[in-house]
Amino acid sequence: SVEFESRIQKIYRDIFRLTEMQGCPHLLRMWNYIPDINRHHNGLENYQRFCHARSQAFQEHYGEFTFLLPSASAVGTRQGQFVMYFIASCKAGVQRENPRQVSAYRYPPQYGRRSPSFARATLNHMHGAEFLFISGTASIVGHQSLHTGDFQAQLDETLRNIAALIESTAADENTRFRSLTDVDYFKIYLRHASDMEIARETIHRRIGARVRTLFLTGDICRQ
């Protein structure tokens, strides 16, 4: 509805205002939690309506905004209101894209009136440390979803995407981290809680038991 999109735009305006007042205007990573993310209303999913509102908010604030976008994710919740949290900095991050994927902000119109507004990752240096904030990542190559109905294949493709993002960043930016095994922390969203053991075993086998993982159930932005 118009009310839903107006509320999203207001939240983003408030965030822009707050971060500028605090002297930290550079958004690095955003998490968006959207009730009933896959529900349709007048022919559009809630996720598509969210993307439209978010894109308008960025355009209103920045003008040409594609090269200023933070990394981000959007996950569906089963109840409650729209919730967002974010990391902002006084120093701009370096926007990163994945060589295996079309940039989300360049998706074709079949995915909605406006493309999703986020970078695949953001590289930032703070307090003498390097951080790579990775966006929500799924089994998408180019712009197409792959392996419908095969959870293991989807998970393997997702890990290939994350590995490609880390490796290309390391090559271009000479970072301390070089591969998937350097990941410190994973937040893993599963549409079906019954897939958790497969996910846990795969993550530990591919990356090792050292990596910290948080498993959450939530609907992913693509049905």
Side-chain angles (χ1 to χ4, degrees), residues 34-45:
I34 305 168
D36 298 317
I37 194 169
N38 301 130
R39 178 181 289 179
H40 282 77
H41 181 83
N42 291 336
L44 289 174
E45 279 188 331

Side-chain angles (χ1 to χ4, degrees), residues 168-213:
S168 62
T169 299
D172 292 345
E173 303 292 339
N174 192 31
T175 55
R176 65 171 177 82
F177 45 83
R178 313 299 295 178
S179 69
L180 194 61
T181 57
D182 292 318
V183 170
D184 295 311
Y185 183 76
F186 269 124
K187 184 179 289 184
I188 300 165
Y189 300 99
L190 301 172
R191 187 181 289 274
H192 306 293
S194 57
D195 291 323
M196 188 175 77
E197 288 310 312
I198 295 175
R200 189 192 305 277
E201 188 278 329
T202 301
I203 295 294
H204 286 180
R205 173 168 43 83
R206 293 282 305 277
I207 303 170
R210 171 200 65 82
V211 66
R212 290 174 291 169
T213 54

Side-chain angles (χ1 to χ4, degrees), residues 73-212:
S73 54
V75 178
T77 61
R78 307 293 165 81
Q79 58 186 1
Q81 300 296 313
F82 176 83
V83 174
M84 179 203 292
Y85 63 100
F86 60 91
I87 298 172
S89 173
C90 61
K91 180 181 178 181
V94 177
Q95 187 185 59
R96 295 296 308 172
E97 294 300 315
N98 193 327
R100 302 183 81 234
Q101 297 177 305
V102 173
S103 296
Y105 52 81
R106 291 181 175 151
Y107 278 175
Q110 71 199 66
Y111 297 104
R113 291 177 291 171
R114 293 228 186 179
S115 297
S117 301
F118 66 90
R120 296 294 180 189
T122 312
L123 176 66
N124 190 262
H125 296 84
M126 292 185 286
H127 310 297
E130 275 180 334
F131 295 87
L132 184 67
F133 299 103
I134 298 175
S135 289
T137 305
S139 179
I140 296 170
V141 176
H143 60 77
Q144 295 180 320
S145 299
L146 301 184
H147 314 301
T148 300
D150 187 338
F151 175 76
Q152 182 69 67
Q154 289 179 14
L155 178 56
D156 291 342
E157 199 72 70
T158 300
L159 291 174
R160 277 193 286 273
N161 277 330
I162 295 172
L165 185 57
I166 293 170
E167 290 164 10
S168 62
T169 299
D172 292 345
E173 303 292 339
N174 192 31
T175 55
R176 65 171 177 82
F177 45 83
R178 313 299 295 178
S179 69
L180 194 61
T181 57
D182 292 318
V183 170
D184 295 311
Y185 183 76
F186 269 124
K187 184 179 289 184
I188 300 165
Y189 300 99
L190 301 172
R191 187 181 289 274
H192 306 293
S194 57
D195 291 323
M196 188 175 77
E197 288 310 312
I198 295 175
R200 189 192 305 277
E201 188 278 329
T202 301
I203 295 294
H204 286 180
R205 173 168 43 83
R206 293 282 305 277
I207 303 170
R210 171 200 65 82
V211 66
R212 290 174 291 169

